[in-house]
Short mmCIF file of all heavy atoms in Angstrom, two decimals:
data_model
loop_
_atom_site.label_atom_id
_atom_site.label_comp_id
_atom_site.label_asym_id
_atom_site.label_seq_id
_atom_site.Cartn_x
_atom_site.Cartn_y
_atom_site.Cartn_z
N VAL A 345 -0.09 -3.63 7.61
CA VAL A 345 -1.46 -3.69 8.11
C VAL A 345 -2.30 -2.59 7.48
O VAL A 345 -3.44 -2.81 7.05
CB VAL A 345 -1.48 -3.61 9.65
CG1 VAL A 345 -2.92 -3.54 10.16
CG2 VAL A 345 -0.76 -4.80 10.26
N GLY A 346 -1.75 -1.39 7.37
CA GLY A 346 -2.47 -0.29 6.74
C GLY A 346 -2.80 -0.57 5.29
O GLY A 346 -3.89 -0.23 4.80
N ALA A 347 -1.88 -1.20 4.58
CA ALA A 347 -2.13 -1.54 3.18
C ALA A 347 -3.26 -2.55 3.07
O ALA A 347 -4.13 -2.42 2.20
CB ALA A 347 -0.85 -2.08 2.54
N LEU A 348 -3.29 -3.55 3.96
CA LEU A 348 -4.38 -4.52 3.94
C LEU A 348 -5.71 -3.85 4.28
O LEU A 348 -6.74 -4.17 3.67
CB LEU A 348 -4.10 -5.67 4.91
CG LEU A 348 -2.95 -6.59 4.51
CD1 LEU A 348 -2.67 -7.60 5.61
CD2 LEU A 348 -3.22 -7.28 3.18
N TRP A 349 -5.69 -2.93 5.22
CA TRP A 349 -6.91 -2.18 5.58
C TRP A 349 -7.44 -1.46 4.34
O TRP A 349 -8.63 -1.53 4.02
CB TRP A 349 -6.56 -1.20 6.68
CG TRP A 349 -7.68 -0.40 7.28
CD1 TRP A 349 -8.99 -0.38 6.88
CD2 TRP A 349 -7.60 0.49 8.38
NE1 TRP A 349 -9.71 0.49 7.67
CE2 TRP A 349 -8.88 1.03 8.61
CE3 TRP A 349 -6.56 0.90 9.20
CZ2 TRP A 349 -9.14 1.95 9.62
CZ3 TRP A 349 -6.83 1.81 10.21
CH2 TRP A 349 -8.10 2.32 10.42
N SER A 350 -6.56 -0.81 3.61
CA SER A 350 -6.95 -0.08 2.42
C SER A 350 -7.45 -1.02 1.32
O SER A 350 -8.47 -0.76 0.68
CB SER A 350 -5.77 0.76 1.92
OG SER A 350 -6.14 1.56 0.83
N LEU A 351 -6.74 -2.11 1.11
CA LEU A 351 -7.10 -3.06 0.05
C LEU A 351 -8.44 -3.74 0.31
O LEU A 351 -9.16 -4.09 -0.62
CB LEU A 351 -6.01 -4.12 -0.11
CG LEU A 351 -4.75 -3.65 -0.80
CD1 LEU A 351 -3.60 -4.62 -0.56
CD2 LEU A 351 -4.98 -3.46 -2.29
N ALA A 352 -8.79 -3.94 1.60
CA ALA A 352 -10.04 -4.64 1.94
C ALA A 352 -11.26 -3.75 1.82
O ALA A 352 -12.38 -4.26 1.67
CB ALA A 352 -9.94 -5.19 3.37
N GLY A 353 -11.09 -2.45 1.86
CA GLY A 353 -12.23 -1.53 1.84
C GLY A 353 -13.06 -1.64 0.58
O GLY A 353 -12.55 -1.46 -0.52
N SER A 354 -14.33 -1.96 0.73
CA SER A 354 -15.30 -2.00 -0.38
C SER A 354 -14.84 -2.87 -1.54
O SER A 354 -15.09 -2.54 -2.70
CB SER A 354 -15.60 -0.58 -0.88
OG SER A 354 -16.11 0.21 0.16
N ASN A 355 -14.16 -3.98 -1.23
CA ASN A 355 -13.69 -4.87 -2.29
C ASN A 355 -13.82 -6.32 -1.83
O ASN A 355 -12.89 -6.86 -1.22
CB ASN A 355 -12.24 -4.53 -2.66
CG ASN A 355 -11.79 -5.22 -3.93
OD1 ASN A 355 -11.94 -6.43 -4.07
ND2 ASN A 355 -11.25 -4.45 -4.86
N PRO A 356 -14.97 -6.96 -2.09
CA PRO A 356 -15.19 -8.33 -1.63
C PRO A 356 -14.14 -9.33 -2.13
O PRO A 356 -13.75 -10.24 -1.39
CB PRO A 356 -16.58 -8.68 -2.19
CG PRO A 356 -17.24 -7.36 -2.42
CD PRO A 356 -16.14 -6.41 -2.78
N THR A 357 -13.67 -9.17 -3.35
CA THR A 357 -12.67 -10.08 -3.87
C THR A 357 -11.38 -9.97 -3.08
O THR A 357 -10.75 -10.98 -2.73
CB THR A 357 -12.41 -9.81 -5.37
OG1 THR A 357 -13.66 -9.91 -6.07
CG2 THR A 357 -11.43 -10.80 -5.96
N ASN A 358 -10.97 -8.75 -2.76
CA ASN A 358 -9.76 -8.56 -1.95
C ASN A 358 -9.96 -9.07 -0.53
O ASN A 358 -9.03 -9.65 0.05
CB ASN A 358 -9.33 -7.10 -1.94
CG ASN A 358 -8.58 -6.71 -3.19
OD1 ASN A 358 -8.36 -7.52 -4.08
ND2 ASN A 358 -8.19 -5.46 -3.26
N LYS A 359 -11.14 -8.87 0.03
CA LYS A 359 -11.41 -9.39 1.37
C LYS A 359 -11.19 -10.89 1.41
O LYS A 359 -10.55 -11.41 2.33
CB LYS A 359 -12.84 -9.06 1.80
CG LYS A 359 -13.09 -7.62 2.07
CD LYS A 359 -14.55 -7.40 2.45
CE LYS A 359 -14.84 -5.92 2.54
NZ LYS A 359 -16.14 -5.65 3.14
N ASN A 360 -11.72 -11.59 0.42
CA ASN A 360 -11.54 -13.03 0.36
C ASN A 360 -10.08 -13.41 0.16
O ASN A 360 -9.58 -14.34 0.79
CB ASN A 360 -12.41 -13.63 -0.75
CG ASN A 360 -13.89 -13.51 -0.45
OD1 ASN A 360 -14.30 -13.40 0.71
ND2 ASN A 360 -14.70 -13.50 -1.49
N ALA A 361 -9.41 -12.69 -0.72
CA ALA A 361 -8.00 -12.99 -0.98
C ALA A 361 -7.13 -12.75 0.25
O ALA A 361 -6.20 -13.51 0.52
CB ALA A 361 -7.49 -12.14 -2.15
N ILE A 362 -7.44 -11.71 1.02
CA ILE A 362 -6.68 -11.42 2.24
C ILE A 362 -6.90 -12.53 3.26
O ILE A 362 -5.96 -13.02 3.88
CB ILE A 362 -7.08 -10.03 2.80
CG1 ILE A 362 -6.56 -8.93 1.85
CG2 ILE A 362 -6.54 -9.83 4.21
CD1 ILE A 362 -7.16 -7.55 2.12
N ARG A 363 -8.14 -12.96 3.42
CA ARG A 363 -8.43 -14.07 4.32
C ARG A 363 -7.72 -15.33 3.85
O ARG A 363 -7.05 -16.02 4.62
CB ARG A 363 -9.95 -14.31 4.39
CG ARG A 363 -10.33 -15.44 5.35
CD ARG A 363 -11.74 -15.96 5.15
NE ARG A 363 -11.88 -16.54 3.82
CZ ARG A 363 -12.73 -16.09 2.88
NH1 ARG A 363 -13.53 -15.07 3.11
NH2 ARG A 363 -12.79 -16.67 1.70
N ASP A 364 -7.84 -15.65 2.55
CA ASP A 364 -7.25 -16.86 2.01
C ASP A 364 -5.72 -16.86 2.07
O ASP A 364 -5.09 -17.92 2.13
CB ASP A 364 -7.71 -17.08 0.56
CG ASP A 364 -9.20 -17.39 0.47
OD1 ASP A 364 -9.83 -17.71 1.51
OD2 ASP A 364 -9.76 -17.28 -0.65
N ALA A 365 -5.12 -15.65 2.09
CA ALA A 365 -3.66 -15.55 2.19
C ALA A 365 -3.17 -15.73 3.63
O ALA A 365 -1.97 -15.72 3.87
CB ALA A 365 -3.19 -14.20 1.65
N GLY A 366 -4.10 -15.89 4.56
CA GLY A 366 -3.71 -16.16 5.94
C GLY A 366 -3.50 -14.93 6.80
O GLY A 366 -2.79 -14.99 7.81
N ALA A 367 -4.12 -13.81 6.46
CA ALA A 367 -3.90 -12.57 7.20
C ALA A 367 -4.65 -12.49 8.51
O ALA A 367 -4.22 -11.77 9.42
CB ALA A 367 -4.26 -11.37 6.33
N VAL A 368 -5.76 -13.19 8.65
CA VAL A 368 -6.61 -13.01 9.83
C VAL A 368 -5.86 -13.34 11.12
O VAL A 368 -5.88 -12.55 12.07
CB VAL A 368 -7.92 -13.82 9.71
CG1 VAL A 368 -8.71 -13.76 11.01
CG2 VAL A 368 -8.77 -13.28 8.55
N GLY A 369 -5.19 -14.46 11.18
CA GLY A 369 -4.44 -14.85 12.38
C GLY A 369 -3.41 -13.81 12.81
O GLY A 369 -3.41 -13.37 13.97
N PRO A 370 -2.52 -13.39 11.91
CA PRO A 370 -1.56 -12.36 12.29
C PRO A 370 -2.19 -11.02 12.67
O PRO A 370 -1.71 -10.34 13.57
CB PRO A 370 -0.67 -12.21 11.04
CG PRO A 370 -0.80 -13.50 10.32
CD PRO A 370 -2.20 -13.98 10.60
N LEU A 371 -3.29 -10.65 12.01
CA LEU A 371 -3.97 -9.40 12.37
C LEU A 371 -4.57 -9.48 13.77
O LEU A 371 -4.43 -8.55 14.57
CB LEU A 371 -5.05 -9.05 11.34
CG LEU A 371 -4.57 -8.61 9.97
CD1 LEU A 371 -5.73 -8.52 8.99
CD2 LEU A 371 -3.83 -7.28 10.05
N VAL A 372 -5.19 -10.61 14.09
CA VAL A 372 -5.75 -10.80 15.43
C VAL A 372 -4.62 -10.80 16.45
O VAL A 372 -4.73 -10.19 17.52
CB VAL A 372 -6.59 -12.09 15.50
CG1 VAL A 372 -6.95 -12.43 16.94
CG2 VAL A 372 -7.85 -11.94 14.64
N ALA A 373 -3.51 -11.44 16.13
CA ALA A 373 -2.36 -11.47 17.05
C ALA A 373 -1.83 -10.07 17.33
O ALA A 373 -1.42 -9.76 18.45
CB ALA A 373 -1.26 -12.36 16.48
N LEU A 374 -1.84 -9.21 16.32
CA LEU A 374 -1.37 -7.83 16.51
C LEU A 374 -2.26 -7.05 17.47
O LEU A 374 -1.80 -6.12 18.15
CB LEU A 374 -1.26 -7.10 15.17
CG LEU A 374 -0.07 -7.53 14.31
CD1 LEU A 374 -0.21 -6.97 12.90
CD2 LEU A 374 1.24 -7.10 14.95
N LEU A 375 -3.53 -7.42 17.57
CA LEU A 375 -4.41 -6.77 18.55
C LEU A 375 -3.88 -6.99 19.97
O LEU A 375 -4.02 -6.13 20.84
CB LEU A 375 -5.84 -7.32 18.45
CG LEU A 375 -6.62 -7.04 17.18
CD1 LEU A 375 -7.96 -7.75 17.23
CD2 LEU A 375 -6.79 -5.56 16.95
N GLY A 376 -3.27 -8.15 20.18
CA GLY A 376 -2.72 -8.49 21.49
C GLY A 376 -1.56 -7.62 21.92
O GLY A 376 -1.18 -7.62 23.09
N ALA A 377 -1.01 -6.85 21.00
CA ALA A 377 0.10 -5.95 21.35
C ALA A 377 -0.39 -4.77 22.17
O ALA A 377 0.40 -4.04 22.75
CB ALA A 377 0.81 -5.47 20.09
N GLY A 378 -1.69 -4.56 22.20
CA GLY A 378 -2.26 -3.51 23.04
C GLY A 378 -2.44 -2.19 22.34
O GLY A 378 -1.87 -1.93 21.27
N SER A 379 -3.20 -1.35 22.97
CA SER A 379 -3.57 -0.07 22.37
C SER A 379 -2.41 0.90 22.23
O SER A 379 -2.49 1.85 21.47
CB SER A 379 -4.69 0.59 23.16
OG SER A 379 -4.26 0.86 24.48
N ARG A 380 -1.34 0.67 22.95
CA ARG A 380 -0.18 1.57 22.84
C ARG A 380 0.74 1.20 21.68
O ARG A 380 1.63 1.96 21.34
CB ARG A 380 0.61 1.57 24.14
CG ARG A 380 -0.17 2.22 25.25
CD ARG A 380 0.67 2.34 26.49
NE ARG A 380 -0.16 2.90 27.55
CZ ARG A 380 0.30 3.62 28.52
NH1 ARG A 380 1.59 3.85 28.61
NH2 ARG A 380 -0.51 4.09 29.43
N SER A 381 0.51 0.03 21.12
CA SER A 381 1.33 -0.35 19.96
C SER A 381 0.85 0.42 18.74
O SER A 381 -0.29 0.89 18.69
CB SER A 381 1.23 -1.85 19.70
OG SER A 381 0.02 -2.17 19.06
N LYS A 382 1.71 0.54 17.76
CA LYS A 382 1.33 1.25 16.53
C LYS A 382 0.45 0.39 15.64
O LYS A 382 -0.40 0.89 14.92
CB LYS A 382 2.59 1.67 15.78
CG LYS A 382 3.41 2.72 16.50
CD LYS A 382 4.66 3.06 15.73
CE LYS A 382 5.50 4.08 16.48
NZ LYS A 382 6.76 4.35 15.78
N ALA A 383 0.66 -0.93 15.67
CA ALA A 383 -0.04 -1.80 14.74
C ALA A 383 -1.44 -2.20 15.20
O ALA A 383 -2.30 -2.49 14.36
CB ALA A 383 0.79 -3.05 14.46
N ALA A 384 -1.68 -2.26 16.51
CA ALA A 384 -2.98 -2.75 16.99
C ALA A 384 -4.16 -1.93 16.46
O ALA A 384 -5.14 -2.52 15.97
CB ALA A 384 -3.00 -2.82 18.51
N PRO A 385 -4.12 -0.60 16.52
CA PRO A 385 -5.27 0.15 15.95
C PRO A 385 -5.43 -0.07 14.45
O PRO A 385 -6.55 -0.14 13.94
CB PRO A 385 -4.93 1.61 16.26
CG PRO A 385 -3.92 1.58 17.35
CD PRO A 385 -3.17 0.30 17.18
N GLU A 386 -4.31 -0.19 13.74
CA GLU A 386 -4.37 -0.47 12.30
C GLU A 386 -4.97 -1.85 12.06
O GLU A 386 -5.78 -2.04 11.15
CB GLU A 386 -2.97 -0.39 11.68
CG GLU A 386 -2.32 0.98 11.75
CD GLU A 386 -2.86 1.94 10.71
OE1 GLU A 386 -3.08 1.54 9.56
OE2 GLU A 386 -3.07 3.11 11.06
N ALA A 387 -4.56 -2.83 12.89
CA ALA A 387 -5.09 -4.20 12.75
C ALA A 387 -6.60 -4.21 13.00
O ALA A 387 -7.34 -4.90 12.29
CB ALA A 387 -4.37 -5.14 13.70
N ALA A 388 -7.04 -3.44 13.98
CA ALA A 388 -8.48 -3.36 14.25
C ALA A 388 -9.22 -2.80 13.03
O ALA A 388 -10.29 -3.30 12.65
CB ALA A 388 -8.74 -2.49 15.48
N GLY A 389 -8.65 -1.79 12.39
CA GLY A 389 -9.26 -1.23 11.19
C GLY A 389 -9.28 -2.21 10.04
O GLY A 389 -10.28 -2.32 9.31
N ALA A 390 -8.19 -2.94 9.86
CA ALA A 390 -8.14 -3.94 8.80
C ALA A 390 -9.16 -5.04 9.03
O ALA A 390 -9.87 -5.46 8.11
CB ALA A 390 -6.73 -4.52 8.69
N LEU A 391 -9.27 -5.49 10.28
CA LEU A 391 -10.25 -6.53 10.60
C LEU A 391 -11.68 -6.01 10.41
O LEU A 391 -12.55 -6.75 9.96
CB LEU A 391 -10.03 -7.04 12.02
CG LEU A 391 -8.77 -7.88 12.21
CD1 LEU A 391 -8.45 -8.05 13.69
CD2 LEU A 391 -8.90 -9.23 11.50
N MET A 392 -11.90 -4.74 10.74
CA MET A 392 -13.22 -4.14 10.53
C MET A 392 -13.59 -4.20 9.05
O MET A 392 -14.70 -4.60 8.68
CB MET A 392 -13.22 -2.68 11.01
CG MET A 392 -14.49 -1.91 10.70
SD MET A 392 -14.36 -0.15 11.02
CE MET A 392 -13.17 0.37 9.79
N ASN A 393 -12.65 -3.80 8.17
CA ASN A 393 -12.93 -3.84 6.74
C ASN A 393 -13.11 -5.27 6.24
O ASN A 393 -13.96 -5.52 5.39
CB ASN A 393 -11.82 -3.15 5.94
CG ASN A 393 -12.06 -1.67 5.79
OD1 ASN A 393 -13.07 -1.14 6.24
ND2 ASN A 393 -11.14 -0.99 5.14
N LEU A 394 -12.33 -6.20 6.78
CA LEU A 394 -12.48 -7.60 6.37
C LEU A 394 -13.85 -8.15 6.78
O LEU A 394 -14.47 -8.91 6.04
CB LEU A 394 -11.38 -8.46 6.98
CG LEU A 394 -10.00 -8.33 6.36
CD1 LEU A 394 -8.98 -9.10 7.18
CD2 LEU A 394 -10.00 -8.81 4.92
N ALA A 395 -14.33 -7.76 7.96
CA ALA A 395 -15.60 -8.28 8.47
C ALA A 395 -16.82 -7.67 7.79
O ALA A 395 -17.87 -8.32 7.70
CB ALA A 395 -15.69 -8.04 9.98
N ALA A 396 -16.70 -6.45 7.30
CA ALA A 396 -17.84 -5.76 6.71
C ALA A 396 -18.42 -6.55 5.54
O ALA A 396 -17.72 -6.86 4.58
CB ALA A 396 -17.43 -4.36 6.26
N SER A 397 -19.68 -6.91 5.67
CA SER A 397 -20.43 -7.61 4.61
C SER A 397 -19.81 -8.95 4.22
O SER A 397 -19.92 -9.38 3.08
CB SER A 397 -20.55 -6.73 3.36
OG SER A 397 -21.18 -5.51 3.68
N SER A 398 -19.13 -9.62 5.17
CA SER A 398 -18.54 -10.92 4.86
C SER A 398 -18.68 -11.85 6.06
O SER A 398 -17.90 -11.78 7.01
CB SER A 398 -17.06 -10.77 4.49
OG SER A 398 -16.47 -12.05 4.33
N GLU A 399 -19.67 -12.74 5.99
CA GLU A 399 -19.89 -13.70 7.08
C GLU A 399 -18.69 -14.64 7.24
O GLU A 399 -18.32 -14.98 8.35
CB GLU A 399 -21.18 -14.50 6.85
CG GLU A 399 -22.44 -13.66 7.00
CD GLU A 399 -22.54 -12.99 8.37
OE1 GLU A 399 -22.26 -13.63 9.40
OE2 GLU A 399 -22.88 -11.78 8.41
N ARG A 400 -18.10 -15.05 6.12
CA ARG A 400 -16.93 -15.95 6.22
C ARG A 400 -15.79 -15.27 6.95
O ARG A 400 -15.09 -15.90 7.76
CB ARG A 400 -16.46 -16.38 4.83
CG ARG A 400 -17.32 -17.49 4.23
CD ARG A 400 -16.73 -18.07 2.98
NE ARG A 400 -15.50 -18.79 3.27
CZ ARG A 400 -14.62 -19.17 2.34
NH1 ARG A 400 -14.83 -18.86 1.08
NH2 ARG A 400 -13.54 -19.82 2.66
N ASN A 401 -15.57 -14.01 6.69
CA ASN A 401 -14.48 -13.30 7.37
C ASN A 401 -14.81 -13.07 8.84
O ASN A 401 -13.93 -13.17 9.69
CB ASN A 401 -14.16 -11.98 6.67
CG ASN A 401 -13.43 -12.21 5.36
OD1 ASN A 401 -12.94 -13.31 5.09
ND2 ASN A 401 -13.33 -11.17 4.56
N LYS A 402 -16.07 -12.78 9.14
CA LYS A 402 -16.48 -12.64 10.55
C LYS A 402 -16.20 -13.93 11.30
O LYS A 402 -15.67 -13.93 12.41
CB LYS A 402 -17.96 -12.26 10.64
CG LYS A 402 -18.26 -10.86 10.19
CD LYS A 402 -19.76 -10.59 10.21
CE LYS A 402 -20.07 -9.25 9.59
NZ LYS A 402 -21.53 -9.00 9.50
N GLU A 403 -16.55 -15.06 10.70
CA GLU A 403 -16.33 -16.37 11.32
C GLU A 403 -14.83 -16.61 11.51
O GLU A 403 -14.41 -17.14 12.55
CB GLU A 403 -16.97 -17.46 10.49
CG GLU A 403 -18.48 -17.42 10.52
CD GLU A 403 -19.12 -18.39 9.54
OE1 GLU A 403 -18.43 -19.27 9.00
OE2 GLU A 403 -20.35 -18.27 9.33
N ALA A 404 -14.02 -16.26 10.51
CA ALA A 404 -12.56 -16.46 10.62
C ALA A 404 -11.97 -15.61 11.73
O ALA A 404 -11.06 -16.04 12.44
CB ALA A 404 -11.90 -16.14 9.30
#
Side-chain angles (χ1 to χ4, degrees):
V345 175
L348 292 174
W349 185 355
S350 184
L351 286 163
S354 302
N355 192 309
T357 304
N358 280 0
K359 290 178 188 191
N360 293 336
I362 291 167
R363 182 196 63 241
D364 293 345
V368 173
L371 289 171
V372 170
L374 286 168
L375 295 176
S379 62
R380 292 185 183 209
S381 77
K382 293 178 182 176
E386 296 283 319
L391 289 166
M392 174 190 67
N393 272 359
L394 285 173
S397 303
S398 174
E399 290 303 316
R400 281 189 67 195
N401 287 347
K402 289 176 188 176
E403 291 172 13

